[in-house]
Amino acid sequence: MKDFSFKSEYGFDDLCEIMRILREPGGCPWDREQTHESIRSSFIEETYEVIEAINKNDKTLLCEELGDVLLQVVFHAEIERESGSFDISAVCDGICKKLIERHPHVFASESADTPQEVLVKWDEIKRKTKGQKSQGDSMRAVPIELPALMRAQKLQSKAKKAGFDWDDIDGALDTLKGEIRELEEARESADFAAVEDEFGDVLFSAVNVARFLGVDSEEALTKASNKFLKRYLIVEQLAKERNIDMKNTPIDELDRLWIEAKKSLESN
């Protein structure tokens, strides 16, 4: 077994070899028993931790979290190397070929002078290489595993490329208002399936409005959730200071605390 104890700096090849050693007989019992399915959630978690580091503008944390994501890539590739399917070299080869193929304005004779032209060419090449003959084929390829708001926005954006879209935001807003009315009607019917269906339509329509506004739905909802949390914590603190039992206090009184909390944050 290779001795890693005296190295002062490690590289990508070292990471791959360390992963192989951990998975070999005599390696780590935990690492050896892992499968794609068992570490799937770790990949998602590490990806979100990279996003957290970016949001915090923490370069040290970003470096660490990118390493954790890279580990996940190497881990999954090693599992497949053991089965004889592919290895990390094939992963690197594949992404290099894709980058070269989808940047003909850099690696071939085509031209693209703006970021928008680049995106159009990327989409055209992607559809061709994946055998997508229609926009519907492209839409079916959007993973159902994506966060729901993100998937909705992607589907709507792809539909727009086929001309299936409102001319302006007014149409999107009218649709949202109509879906809210239908939700109210479903609620009155006490039909849970109908309520769920109409609520989904409300969310989908709200995403469409966000798209027209140039707003990312996931980011907007995250910010709204953060804002709610900040206000709630102030409400909780105010209730504690004034000996208010929140569980047994009318919502109208709690709403006054909420307004106070809102004003407190706005003044800071």
Side-chain angles (χ1 to χ4, degrees):
M1 183 181 297
K2 185 175 180 179
D3 185 4
F4 287 95
S5 60
F6 297 104
K7 294 201 70 169
S8 60
E9 186 173 313
Y10 301 89
F12 182 70
D13 290 340
D14 292 319
L15 173 61
C16 295
E17 187 168 357
I18 289 170
M19 192 71 252
R20 285 195 293 270
I21 292 171
L22 292 173
R23 294 274 299 178
E24 288 175 350
C28 173
W30 184 88
D31 287 288
R32 287 178 58 193
E33 71 175 11
Q34 300 311 307
T35 64
H36 292 306
E37 292 74 20
S38 69
I39 60 174
R40 175 176 51 200
S41 61
S42 297
F43 210 143
I44 297 172
E45 180 181 342
E46 299 298 355
T47 301
Y48 278 111
E49 289 180 1
V50 167
I51 302 303
E52 178 189 20
I54 292 173
N55 289 343
K56 290 180 176 179
N57 195 28
D58 188 327
K59 308 300 183 183
T60 300
L61 183 61
L62 178 59
C63 181
E64 177 186 348
E65 299 302 343
L66 285 173
D68 289 342
V69 169
L70 183 58
L71 169 61
Q72 293 299 312
V73 174
V74 170
F75 206 149
H76 284 280
E78 176 59 19
I79 291 173
E80 286 306 310
R81 185 196 69 81
E82 294 165 3
S83 69
S85 177
F86 62 81
D87 59 12
I88 193 64
S89 295
V91 174
C92 293
D93 177 65
I95 190 58
C96 286
K97 288 177 178 175
K98 180 185 291 185
L99 287 171
I100 293 169
E101 181 180 49
R102 296 190 184 178
H103 289 83
H105 52 290
V106 176
F107 299 104
S109 58
E110 295 188 25
S111 62
D113 298 324
T114 67
Q116 185 58 37
E117 288 180 27
V118 171
L119 292 177
V120 170
K121 287 182 178 293
W122 178 284
D123 192 54
E124 290 174 353
I125 297 170
K126 180 179 180 179
R127 286 179 56 185
K128 182 178 179 181
T129 56
K130 290 184 176 294
Q132 297 169 354
K133 299 180 180 179
S134 68
Q135 198 61 34
D137 290 340
S138 177
M139 292 170 71
R140 278 195 292 267
V142 177
I144 195 173
E145 291 81 7
L146 284 176
L149 295 180
M150 184 184 296
R151 181 167 179 255
Q153 195 153 332
K154 280 184 173 292
L155 289 172
Q156 292 167 3
S157 296
K158 288 182 179 294
K160 179 180 180 179
K161 293 177 181 178
F164 191 76
D165 200 10
W166 295 110
D167 293 330
D168 54 42
I169 193 174
D170 290 338
L173 282 169
D174 287 341
T175 300
L176 176 58
K177 294 172 185 176
E179 295 298 348
I180 292 174
R181 286 194 297 270
E182 292 181 13
L183 175 61
E184 292 172 343
E185 293 170 1
R187 181 179 65 87
E188 291 174 359
S189 72
D191 183 341
F192 177 78
V195 169
E196 183 180 48
D197 184 64
E198 295 301 340
F199 183 71
D201 289 344
V202 169
L203 289 177
F204 192 84
S205 298
V207 170
N208 206 26
V209 171
R211 183 173 59 84
F212 271 95
L213 293 170
V215 172
D216 183 285
S217 299
E218 288 284 341
E219 288 291 331
L221 184 56
T222 296
K223 290 178 180 178
S225 296
N226 290 342
K227 181 169 59 178
F228 174 84
L229 176 60
K230 288 180 181 178
R231 290 179 183 175
Y232 175 83
L233 292 175
I234 294 176
V235 168
E236 190 176 57
Q237 182 60 35
L238 290 173
K240 182 179 180 181
E241 292 172 356
R242 300 170 189 179
N243 295 317
I244 296 174
D245 181 1
M246 292 182 62
K247 289 184 178 180
N248 297 303
T249 300
I251 189 61
D252 290 345
E253 186 174 342
L254 293 179
D255 189 51
R256 285 194 287 272
L257 293 180
W258 179 265
I259 294 173
E260 188 176 340
K262 182 179 178 180
K263 290 180 178 178
S264 172
L265 286 172
E266 290 174 348
S267 64
N268 292 334

